[in-house]
C-alpha cells in the first residue's frame, strides 16, 4: 500500500495519527488497485440491449439447504454440494467446486457443533445475557473469558477500587465469574458507576482492563489522553428509553444516507445522538432517503480513527451520548420511515491495550485469545489486531455483538467494514484483483473468516428477515452476495467501490473532452449478475484528509466566492454544478441496485474531512457539516440539494433501482452521450461540454407518448430551463418487430428530444388511459410540483406515492404563485400566473 504511506508523509502526521489513519487509507488503496476487479459474468453482459431476468428467487436445489432448517440434522456431503445453486448461476465456479465444498462443509459443521453444545445459533448469539454484567436472583453476576489470567478481581467505584473482597473464580473453560448480592434491596454496583477487570497474568503482573462485554465506557474529558473506564449501565425503568415505533418495512432498493453523528453539527464540536435525531434526520427524510447508515457507533478511544479502531464492541460511543440517547435516535428515524444500519467493524480491533480488547492478550496461545498470534494476528497497515474466527469464544463474542445491536437498539442491519481483509490471509495488501477466479478460491482465502460471515448472515436474517447486510469488499469475490443455501456468503449487497475511483481519476487526470463514455459505463455496470451492489460517487473515504469532495474537485477555491445566486455563475461554477448533478445521478441510475451518499455531499459540501489531531492543532473546523450553506437561500448549494431530493423522489415514484430491466442502448464517444433504460424510464446523459443536440434520436422499448419527469437543467436545479417539460414525444417504430438488428440501437421504438450540453434528462411513458379526453394534460405542472411540494411540506411527512403525487390545480397554482422563480415560463403561462406577452421570446425559442 505504498500510496497510503506516501499520503501519510504528505500530511505530516504524527506516528500515532499515521497508525490510526492507515486503516482508511489502506481501503482506499485497495479500491484503487482493484478498479476493474468486480468481475461481471460475460454470460449476462449488462450492456447488451435486452431485458435481464435477474432471478431473485433462485431454485433452492442446493442440497445443503435441507440441513439449514431449524429442526433438521446438520450434516452434508460432497454429493449434496455438487448441485449448489451458485454453479447454475455461474458455471465458471465448477472449476473451484472442491474449495466451495470444503468451505460449505466447514460452515455446516461449525453450525452443527454450535447447535449441539449451545442449543442453537440463536441461543449462542445471546452471550451478553451470560457474559459481562447481568442481574440474576437479586444479585449482579459478572463473567469474563480470560483463560490467560492466573487470578482475577472486580474493582470499581463500588468497592473503592480495592478488589481484595471481590475475587473471582475460574471454571474449566477459562471463564471467571463473581456473584455480588444486592445490599439493602439495592444493587451493590450502582448504575452509571465505573468498573474494571483486574487480573494477574503469567509473569505475576496485575493489570486493569475494561470488561470485554461492557455496555458503556467513558473518559474524563478534563484529562488529556486519559484512559477510558468501563461503566456499569443498568438504568432504572424510569430512565430507560422505550421504543415507540416499529421498524419500517424493507424497501425494494436502499437509498442510503451515510452519516457520522459526531461531525454532524455546524459548530466545531462533537455532536450528540439527540442533536442528530432532532436536526439531521428531518433533512435526510426531506431528501427522500429511506435508510441511514451510522458510522462510528462502536466505542473507539481515538476519535480520529473515524470509528474504525474499535475498543469496546458492546458500548456506544460515549462522545455523543448514552445508550438511551442512541435508542432515541433510532426510534425517531423509524418514526420518520427511515431504516438504520450500523457500520460494524468485525474485521479487526484496536491495538490499544489500555482501553480495548487487546488488553486481554498477554502473550497466551491463540486458542486462549481473541486474536491470532504473531503476524497473522496483526494488520501491518492498520496497526490493529486480527480476530481468530475459528475460536469458539470469538464466534460467541462477535455473533452476540450483532444480535446485541439488533435486539437492544433496533438496528435494521449492518454494513460490514473491511470484508476484503477478512476474506484473504493477505488482507488485500499489495494485491491487484483482476477478476481471475484463482484469486478468490485458493490457499490465500481465509476460510475461517468466510465461515464466520456465513454464520453471521444466517443469524441476522433468521433474527430479522427484513435485515439489510452490506459487504465492503473491493475484491469482487463471487457468491459473496448469494445466500448460504446456495453456497454463497449471504450478504444482501456489496459496495461498488470501483465507481468513485473512476470518477476521481477522470476529475483529476482528464479534460472533459477526454472522458470516455465507454469507460464510464463499464465502471458502472461491471458487476456480477444476481449479486446486488450499492453504488456511490463518493463516501466518507473520498473526502478524508489529503483528498476533496467531488464538488471541491470540480470548483475548488472558486466555491468560496462564486456560489452566490445574486450574480451570474462563472464558467467554473456552471460546469461544476452541472457535472456534480450528472455524476451523482448517473452513478445512482446505472451503478447498482442501491445508492449511497455521504452526509453533506448531496448539496456539494466543499473542502475535505479532517478530525482534530496534533497535526491540525486539534481543530474541529474540517470535522463538521456546514448546513448553513444549503440553508442560505441565495447560495447555489440549494440547487444541488434540490436535485438530490428529486433523484430520490424519482426512484420513490418509479422504483427504477429495483427494476430487473436494465438496458444501455447507446454509448456515443463522439457526441459524449449515454442513453439507457431502467424500468420503463429512458435516461439521456449529455456530457459534451459545448454541444446541444436538437432532434436527438433515442431508442426505447415501449411505444407511446413520453414526457420529461426529471431534468437537471430545470431552473429549480440551477439550470437554464432549456428543455420543455410540456412537450409530448411520440414514438416511431423502428425496423421489424422482434428483429433487433433492424431496430434503432437494438430498440424497437424511438423518439426525438432536445439534449443540451452537460445535462441529464429522464423521460417516462405517459399512461394515456388515465387521462380524460378534455383534460388539460400539461405535464410540466406535475413535474415542478413534485419538487416544490416536497420542499414545502412538513419534513417529517411520508414521501408521496406515485398515485398521490399529483395535486388539485388550485394547490399547484398556489405553490407556483408563492415561488414563481422556481417554475419554468411554460408553467407560469399555462397556470395563468403570468401573461404570455411577459415571457421573453428567446426563452420560449430555447425551450422549443
Amino acid at each position: 500500500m505504498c500510496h497510503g504511506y506516501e499520503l501519510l508523509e504528505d500530511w505530516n502526521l504524527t506516528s500515532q495519527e499515521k497508525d490510526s489513519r492507515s486503516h482508511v487509507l489502506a481501503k482506499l488503496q485497495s479500491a484503487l488497485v482493484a478498479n476493474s476487479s468486480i468481475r461481471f459474468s460475460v454470460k449476462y453482459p449488462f450492456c447488451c440491449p435486452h431485458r435481464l431476468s435477474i432471478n431473485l428467487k433462485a431454485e433452492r436445489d442446493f442440497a445443503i439447504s435441507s440441513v439449514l432448517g431449524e429442526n433438521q440434522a446438520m450434516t452434508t456431503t460432497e454429493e449434496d454440494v455438487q448441485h449448489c445453486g451458485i454453479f447454475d448461476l455461474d458455471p465458471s465456479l465448477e472449476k473451484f467446486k472442491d474449495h466451495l465444498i470444503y468451505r460449505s462443509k466447514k460452515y455446516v459443521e461449525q453450525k452443527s457443533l454450535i447447535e449441539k453444545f449451545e442449543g442453537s445459533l440463536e441461543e449462542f448469539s445471546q452471550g451478553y445475557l451470560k457474559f459481562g454484567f447481568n442481574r440474576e436472583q437479586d444479585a449482579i453476576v459478572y463473567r469474563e473469558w480470560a483463560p490467560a489470567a492466573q487470578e482475577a478481581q472486580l474493582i470499581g467505584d463500588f468497592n473503592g477500587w480495592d478488589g481484595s473482597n471481590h475475587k473471582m473464580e475460574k471454571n474449566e473453560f477459562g471463564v471467571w465469574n463473581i456473584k455480588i448480592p444486592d445490599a439493602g434491596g439495592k444493587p451493590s454496583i450502582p448504575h452509571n458507576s465505573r468498573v474494571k477487570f483486574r487480573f494477574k497474568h503469567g509473569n505475576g503482573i496485575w493489570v486493569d482492563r475494561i470488561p470485554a462485554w461492557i455496555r458503556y465506557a467513558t473518559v474524563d474529558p478534563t484529562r488529556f489522553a486519559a484512559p477510558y473506564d468501563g461503566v456499569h449501565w443498568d438504568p432504572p425503568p424510569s430512565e430507560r428509553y422505550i421504543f415507540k415505533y416499529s421498524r419500517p418495512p424493507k424497501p425494494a432498493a436502499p437509498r442510503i444516507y451515510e452519516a457520522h453523528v459526531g461531525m454532524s453539527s455546524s459548530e466545531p464540536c462533537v455532536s450528540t445522538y439527540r442533536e442528530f435525531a432532532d436536526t439531521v434526520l428531518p433533512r435526510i427524510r426531506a431528501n427522500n432517503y429511506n435508510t441511514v447508515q451510522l458510522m462510528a457507533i462502536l466505542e473507539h478511544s481515538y476519535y480520529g480513527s473515524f470509528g474504525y479502531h474499535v475498543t469496546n464492541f458492546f458500548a456506544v460511543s460515549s462522545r455523543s451520548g448514552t445508550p438511551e440517547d442512541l435508542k432515541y435516535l433510532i426510534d425517531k428515524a423509524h418514526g420518520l420511515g427511515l431504516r438504520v444500519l450500523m457500520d460494524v467493524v468485525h474485521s479487526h480491533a484496536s491495538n490499544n491495550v489500555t482501553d480495548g480488547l487487546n488488553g486481554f492478550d498477554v502473550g497466551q496461545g491463540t486458542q486462549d485469545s481473541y486474536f491470532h498470534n504473531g503476524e497473522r494476528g496483526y494488520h501491518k497497515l492498520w496497526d490493529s489486531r486480527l480476530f481468530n474466527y475459528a475460536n469458539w469464544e470469538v464466534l460467541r463474542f462477535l455473533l452476540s455483538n450483532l444480535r446485541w445491536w439488533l435486539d437492544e437498539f433496533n438496528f435494521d442491519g449492518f454494513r460490514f467494514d473491511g470484508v476484503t481483509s477478512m476474506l484473504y490471509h493477505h488482507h488485500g495488501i499489495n494485491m491487484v484483483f483482476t477478476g481471475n477466479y484463482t484469486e478468490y478460491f485458493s490457499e490465500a482465502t481465509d476460510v475461517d473468516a468466510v465461515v464466520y460471515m456465513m454464520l453471521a448472515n444466517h443469524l441476522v436474517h433468521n433474527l430479522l428477515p427484513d435485515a439489510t447486510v452490506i459487504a465492503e469488499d473491493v475484491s469482487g469475490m463471487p457468491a459473496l452476495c448469494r445466500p448460504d443455501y446456495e453456497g454463497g456468503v449471504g450478504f444482501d449487497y456489496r459496495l461498488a467501490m470501483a465507481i468513485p475511483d473512476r470518477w476521481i481519476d477522470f476529475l483529476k487526470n482528464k479534460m472533459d473532452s477526454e472522458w470516455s463514455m465507454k469507460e464510464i459505463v463499464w465502471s458502472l455496470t461491471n458487476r456480477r449478475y444476481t449479486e446486488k451492489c450499492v453504488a456511490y460517487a463518493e463516501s466518507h473515504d473520498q473526502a478524508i484528509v489529503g483528498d476533496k469532495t467531488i464538488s471541491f474537485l470540480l470548483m475548488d477555491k472558486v466555491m468560496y466566492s462564486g456560489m452566490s445566486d445574486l450574480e451570474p455563475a462563472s464558467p467554473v461554477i456552471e460546469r461544476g454544478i452541472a457535472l456534480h448533478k450528472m455524476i451523482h445521478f448517473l452513478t445512482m441510475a446505472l451503478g447498482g441496485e442501491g445508492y449511497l451518499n455521504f452526509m453533506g455531499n448531496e448539496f456539494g459540501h466543499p473542502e475535505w474531512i479532517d478530525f482534530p489531531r496534533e497535526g491540525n492543532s486539534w481543530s474541529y473546523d474540517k470535522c463538521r457539516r456546514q448546513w448553513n450553506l444549503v440553508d442560505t437561500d441565495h447560495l447555489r448549494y440549494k440547487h444541488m440539494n434540490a436535485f438530490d431530493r428529486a433523484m430520490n423522489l424519482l426512484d420513490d415514484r418509479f422504483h427504477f433501482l429495483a427494476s430487473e430491466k436494465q438496458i444501455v442502448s447507446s454509448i456515443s464517444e463522439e457526441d459524449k452521450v449515454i442513453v439507457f433504460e431502467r424500468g420503463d424510464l429512458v435516461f439521456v446523459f449529455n456530457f459534451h461540454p459545448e454541444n446541444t443536440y436538437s432532434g436527438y434520436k433515442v431508442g426505447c422499448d415501449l411505444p407511446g407518448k413520453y414526457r420529461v419527469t426529471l431534468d437537471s437543467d430545470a431552473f429549480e436545479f440551477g439550470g437554464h430551463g432549456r428543455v420543455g417539460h410540456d412537450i409530448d414525444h411520440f414514438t416511431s417504430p423502428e425496423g421489424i418487430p422482434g428483429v433487433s438488428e433492424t431496430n434503432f440501437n437494438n430498440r424497437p421504438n424511438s423518439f426525438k428530444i432536445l439534449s443540451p450540453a452537460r445535462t441529464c434528462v429522464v423521460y417516462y411513458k405517459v399512461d394515456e388511459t388515465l387521462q380524460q379526453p378534455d383534460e388539460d394534460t400539461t405535464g410540466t405542472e406535475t413535474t415542478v410540483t413534485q419538487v416544490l411540494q416536497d420542499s414545502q411540506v412538513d419534513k417529517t411527512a411520508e414521501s408521496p406515492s406515485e398515485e398521490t403525487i399529483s395535486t388539485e390545480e388550485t394547490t399547484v397554482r398556489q405553490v407556483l404563485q408563492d415561488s414563481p422563480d422556481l417554475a419554468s415560463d411554460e408553467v407560469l403561462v399555462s397556470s395563468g400566473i403570468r401573461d404570455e406577452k411577459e415571457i421573453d421570446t428567446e426563452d420560449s425559442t430555447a425551450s422549443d
Side-chain angles (χ1 to χ4, degrees), residues 344-364:
V344 69
V345 186
H346 283 183
S347 50
H348 65 130
S350 171
N351 202 24
N352 185 326
V353 296
T354 303
D355 304 325
L357 205 59
N358 194 34
F360 287 83
D361 191 336
V362 288
Q364 68 270 34

Side-chain angles (χ1 to χ4, degrees), residues 314-448:
F314 287 82
V316 306
S317 177
S318 58
R319 291 181 184 86
S320 294
T322 69
E324 311 312 304
D325 294 333
L326 177 59
K327 292 175 185 178
Y328 171 82
L329 185 163
I330 295 171
D331 197 34
K332 183 152 189 177
H334 287 166
L336 293 173
L338 294 166
R339 286 162 61 87
V340 187
L341 307 182
M342 170 187 276
D343 194 348
V344 69
V345 186
H346 283 183
S347 50
H348 65 130
S350 171
N351 202 24
N352 185 326
V353 296
T354 303
D355 304 325
L357 205 59
N358 194 34
F360 287 83
D361 191 336
V362 288
Q364 68 270 34
T366 187
Q367 72 276 7
D368 293 331
S369 173
Y370 287 98
F371 310 108
H372 285 292
N373 284 343
E375 291 186 3
R376 190 178 179 188
Y378 178 73
H379 198 296
K380 62 183 181 182
L381 288 190
W382 298 350
D383 184 31
S384 56
R385 298 305 308 275
L386 298 174
F387 288 106
N388 176 8
Y389 300 104
N391 187 296
W392 191 269
E393 293 304 327
V394 172
L395 288 177
R396 187 199 307 274
F397 183 84
L398 295 177
L399 292 172
S400 298
N401 189 235
L402 296 175
R403 182 161 190 174
W404 168 253
W405 295 111
L406 289 177
D407 286 0
E408 183 71 14
F409 291 87
N410 277 5
F411 277 96
D412 301 291
F414 302 96
R415 177 261 200 193
F416 271 69
D417 178 73
V419 168
T420 305
S421 176
M422 299 173 72
L423 288 172
Y424 310 101
H425 292 300
H426 53 63
H427 310 299
I429 299 174
N430 295 326
M431 180 68 188
V432 177
F433 292 96
T434 66
N436 188 313
Y437 280 19
T438 59
E439 298 164 355
Y440 307 123
F441 309 112
S442 69
E443 293 181 354
T445 307
D446 190 338
V447 175
D448 291 336

Side-chain angles (χ1 to χ4, degrees), residues 159-399:
N159 62 9
W161 299 93
D162 180 0
S164 58
N165 293 323
H166 292 91
K167 296 180 179 180
M168 303 179 69
E169 297 180 354
K170 181 181 182 181
N171 68 14
E172 67 272 27
F173 301 108
V175 176
W176 295 87
N177 68 88
I178 185 172
K179 185 175 183 178
I180 307 176
D182 293 349
K186 295 182 179 181
S188 295
I189 305 177
H191 161 62
N192 208 20
S193 63
R194 297 175 298 167
V195 290
K196 280 196 173 180
F197 176 62
R198 173 173 289 171
F199 69 94
K200 183 175 72 173
H201 53 81
N203 59 8
I205 297 177
W206 287 84
V207 293
D208 297 347
R209 298 291 183 253
I210 295 177
W213 298 72
I214 199 71
R215 299 173 186 179
Y216 195 46
T218 60
V219 65
D220 184 352
T222 64
R223 294 171 55 198
F224 181 77
Y228 272 67
D229 290 307
V231 173
H232 176 55
W233 191 259
D234 187 24
S238 60
E239 297 179 20
R240 294 179 184 272
Y241 185 84
I242 306 300
F243 288 97
K244 302 178 180 66
Y245 303 99
S246 59
R247 289 182 169 101
K250 185 175 184 176
R255 300 188 300 272
I256 302 170
Y257 194 89
E258 183 186 38
H260 186 287
V261 172
M263 59 171 289
S264 64
S265 173
S266 291
E267 301 300 320
C269 64
V270 178
S271 188
T272 70
Y273 299 121
R274 288 183 176 268
E275 288 169 346
F276 182 91
D278 294 338
T279 63
V280 181
L281 283 180
R283 294 179 182 272
I284 299 171
R285 186 66 191 88
N287 272 42
N288 299 303
Y289 289 91
N290 56 32
T291 305
V292 182
Q293 180 178 297
L294 294 179
M295 304 173 60
I297 295 298
L298 306 177
E299 185 61 89
H300 48 290
S301 61
Y302 182 50
Y303 192 44
S305 72
F306 227 142
Y308 290 114
H309 280 215
V310 176
T311 45
N312 312 110
F313 284 79
F314 287 82
V316 306
S317 177
S318 58
R319 291 181 184 86
S320 294
T322 69
E324 311 312 304
D325 294 333
L326 177 59
K327 292 175 185 178
Y328 171 82
L329 185 163
I330 295 171
D331 197 34
K332 183 152 189 177
H334 287 166
L336 293 173
L338 294 166
R339 286 162 61 87
V340 187
L341 307 182
M342 170 187 276
D343 194 348
V344 69
V345 186
H346 283 183
S347 50
H348 65 130
S350 171
N351 202 24
N352 185 326
V353 296
T354 303
D355 304 325
L357 205 59
N358 194 34
F360 287 83
D361 191 336
V362 288
Q364 68 270 34
T366 187
Q367 72 276 7
D368 293 331
S369 173
Y370 287 98
F371 310 108
H372 285 292
N373 284 343
E375 291 186 3
R376 190 178 179 188
Y378 178 73
H379 198 296
K380 62 183 181 182
L381 288 190
W382 298 350
D383 184 31
S384 56
R385 298 305 308 275
L386 298 174
F387 288 106
N388 176 8
Y389 300 104
N391 187 296
W392 191 269
E393 293 304 327
V394 172
L395 288 177
R396 187 199 307 274
F397 183 84
L398 295 177
L399 292 172

Side-chain angles (χ1 to χ4, degrees), residues 797-830:
E798 195 70 27
S799 290
S801 66
E802 183 174 355
E803 290 75 18
T804 62
I805 201 161
S806 298
T807 61
E808 298 179 2
E809 183 180 359
T810 54
T811 304
V812 176
R813 287 174 54 81
Q814 184 60 53
V815 173
L816 295 176
Q817 286 173 340
D818 293 341
S819 307
D821 56 317
L822 296 182
S824 66
D825 293 331
E826 291 89 339
V827 179
L828 299 176
V829 172
S830 62

Side-chain angles (χ1 to χ4, degrees), residues 680-698:
D680 293 327
L681 296 177
V682 179
F683 296 75
V684 182
F685 283 76
N686 180 357
F687 278 93
H688 202 288
E690 298 175 353
N691 290 357
T692 292
Y693 304 109
S694 180
Y696 198 79
K697 191 175 181 181
V698 299

Side-chain angles (χ1 to χ4, degrees), residues 535-552:
Y536 61 102
E538 53 183 334
S539 69
H540 66 275
D541 280 337
Q542 282 65 49
I544 61 171
V545 163
D547 220 321
K548 304 173 182 178
T549 62
I550 284 181
S551 64
F552 213 55

